[in-house]
Amino acid sequence: MARASMLQGLRAAARSPRVGAVALQSFSSGLPLGLVWILLPAWLAYRGVDIKTIGLFSLAQAPWNFKFLWAPLMDRFSLPFLGRKRSWIVVTQLLLVGATLALAFEVHSPSVIVVAGLATLIAFASASQDIAIDAYAVEVLEPSEQGVAVGARIAVYRVAMYLAGALAITLGARLGWSWVLVGVALLFVPMIGVVVASPEPVEVPLPPRRLRDAVWGPLVSVFRMDRALEILSFVLLYKLGENLATALTRPFLIQKGFSAADVGVATATIGLGATLLGTFAGGLATERVGLGRALWISGVLQMAGCLGYALVDRLGGPISAGMFDSHRLAMYAAVGGEATFQGMAAGALGVLLLRLTSRSFSATQFALFSSIFALGRVVVGPLAGILVDALGWTPFFLFTVVAALPGLAMLERFAPWGSAEPTLGVGGMRPPKAPVGRPALAAFGIIGLTVGSGFAAAASALLDGARDFRKLSGAGRGIASFFRLSGGHLGALVAPHSTRDLISLAGPMSIGLACALATGALVAVRRGVR
């Protein structure tokens, strides 16, 4: 069924000029991701750059997480050719060509500072290109085309990531890094032709009259939308369990004794193929059974898919070198099943984001939704390591199933179980309440700070207590011991006595500050400030 769905999606993309344009444009979205996320760290390692410096290069990925900050400029301003969104795509692609060529000439005698600057420039240009491409997709696609388009987009951009990442590393070691980077830069050139040939939307929305309207209007229309908090919480939480389970997939498989070849086959071959098939299936399911049912089916399946890794942990590593070793086959099945289900969820969620986005603010709103979605993936990396250290692998994977439940609870709020389509409230605006004064706004912020930091501190203390509890043995392993250990860690956070305690306190306080800012912004947008 998944293979038939994929072929059907490809045929539909070939028939529809709109779906074909959106799908092909995604190729130039995937190239910079492979370049910055995969190729550059590997090239720096081959050049002998120390691992700490290579780790700092992850900061170059920041523009993808904060692209909503300058997205209003692309909603408000247009260039005098090709239409508002397509003109921005071409400009960013020309910038990507120039920056990648500059990087190619730099590889002969590289300066880490220059390479870091070019990597950041590529990331900024790529994030800006993504803003315009996503906005174009929102404006040009018909609702009946969204499911196929989401699957085709993800498939094409992942192929591009592979070309500019893993394949480019292989070719760079044989042909030379400079020539490979020139080749990556030239891949953007035909994509400019694709953009020029892409059709304009049938109805082009008028741009906001003022930059203030382009910044404030999208926020007001989102946060005053019926069930806005439930929908935004769902976008953040829907893939929380799956993101946790996959954050440490490679280290987990290596710890279980699987070889580098086993891990490569599982994640790069089986996992990639299963993800593409799942994405097409999830996107097409939104048309066949409805978006609401597709979100429920995909959500439950991706939650169950995490249990495969718990089975791998119980079985252990391979017991023989043969291809048909039962433990190795179980690992391949676990990775393939989880990748298929998370691909289905990504496809259905992608359709939801398209439907949530207003065509009047397509650049800013889609950038905001995608940043909220990406936030969950960014946060779980450090959290996954802490949980594994505290719980161990099998309890950790069982916990990821529990972590998926809040997202499904939020889904129930606007798409009850069995309903074909969700009640999104797009276009339905809550009547504004009386504006709040600045002292009241500050009070809301303090409440957000207190609740957020308190919850984070309690969670941190419980995890540290669980880690210490695992080290106990015999009569000491009682529930009273667990709460005593957790209480000690919580006391150290409430009344820190050492530098280590202060460092531990920084995490909960950062979360509290983020909650304070989010609470204040939400109240200001929904009620206004007098």
Side-chain angles (χ1 to χ4, degrees), residues 32-290:
L33 291 173
L35 181 61
V36 176
W37 291 11
I38 302 173
L39 176 61
L40 275 182
W43 171 66
L44 291 171
Y46 281 122
R47 296 290 303 186
V49 177
D50 65 274
I51 193 64
K52 292 183 179 179
T53 303
I54 294 175
L56 291 175
F57 266 76
S58 63
L59 296 175
Q61 302 174 16
W64 281 293
N65 295 324
F66 295 100
K67 59 187 179 182
F68 64 90
L69 295 176
W70 64 91
L73 296 173
M74 296 184 176
D75 273 330
R76 171 64 184 88
F77 300 108
S78 59
L79 302 174
F81 60 94
L82 288 182
R84 194 162 13 133
K85 300 305 187 297
R86 288 193 298 148
S87 60
W88 281 116
I89 297 173
V90 169
V91 168
T92 56
Q93 287 175 338
L94 290 173
L95 186 57
L96 285 166
V97 172
T100 308
L101 287 176
L103 189 62
F105 292 117
E106 181 66 22
V107 298
H108 296 294
S109 54
S111 164
V112 172
I113 295 177
V114 173
V115 172
L118 289 173
T120 304
L121 177 60
I122 291 171
F124 172 78
S126 175
S128 302
Q129 176 191 233
D130 291 347
I131 294 171
I133 288 177
D134 292 336
Y136 174 80
V138 170
E139 294 177 8
V140 78
L141 290 173
E142 298 296 330
S144 60
E145 298 170 334
Q146 291 172 344
V148 173
V150 167
R153 291 180 73 193
I154 294 177
V156 171
Y157 100 75
R158 284 187 174 271
V159 169
M161 274 188 68
Y162 172 77
L163 292 177
L167 182 60
I169 292 173
T170 302
L171 295 176
R174 298 180 180 180
L175 304 178
W177 296 102
S178 181
W179 286 109
V180 168
L181 287 171
V182 169
V184 172
L186 293 179
L187 287 175
F188 287 105
V189 176
M191 293 299 101
I192 296 175
V194 169
V195 176
V196 172
S198 297
E200 270 291 278
V202 176
E203 296 181 7
V204 180
L206 294 175
R209 290 184 297 175
R210 299 173 299 174
L211 183 58
R212 183 179 185 275
D213 296 333
V215 174
W216 197 246
L219 298 178
V220 171
S221 65
V222 168
F223 288 107
R224 287 185 182 173
M225 184 174 61
D226 289 338
R227 301 197 179 279
L229 293 181
E230 292 96 326
I231 293 173
L232 294 177
S233 298
F234 168 77
V235 172
L236 178 65
L237 298 174
Y238 183 55
K239 292 178 71 64
L240 177 62
E242 185 270 332
N243 286 335
L244 274 172
T246 57
L248 299 173
T249 299
R250 289 177 177 83
F252 163 66
L253 296 179
I254 292 171
Q255 279 193 16
K256 300 311 296 182
F258 292 100
S259 67
D262 292 333
V263 176
V265 169
T267 59
T269 304
I270 297 175
L272 176 60
T275 299
L276 298 183
L277 292 174
T279 302
F280 270 103
L284 291 172
T286 63
E287 301 174 18
R288 295 186 177 181
V289 301

Side-chain angles (χ1 to χ4, degrees), residues 301-325:
L301 287 177
Q302 75 169 353
M303 179 174 66
C306 300
L307 296 175
Y309 291 125
L311 175 62
V312 172
D313 185 47
R314 305 314 296 172
L315 290 176
I319 55 179
S320 70
M323 180 183 301
F324 298 104
D325 173 75

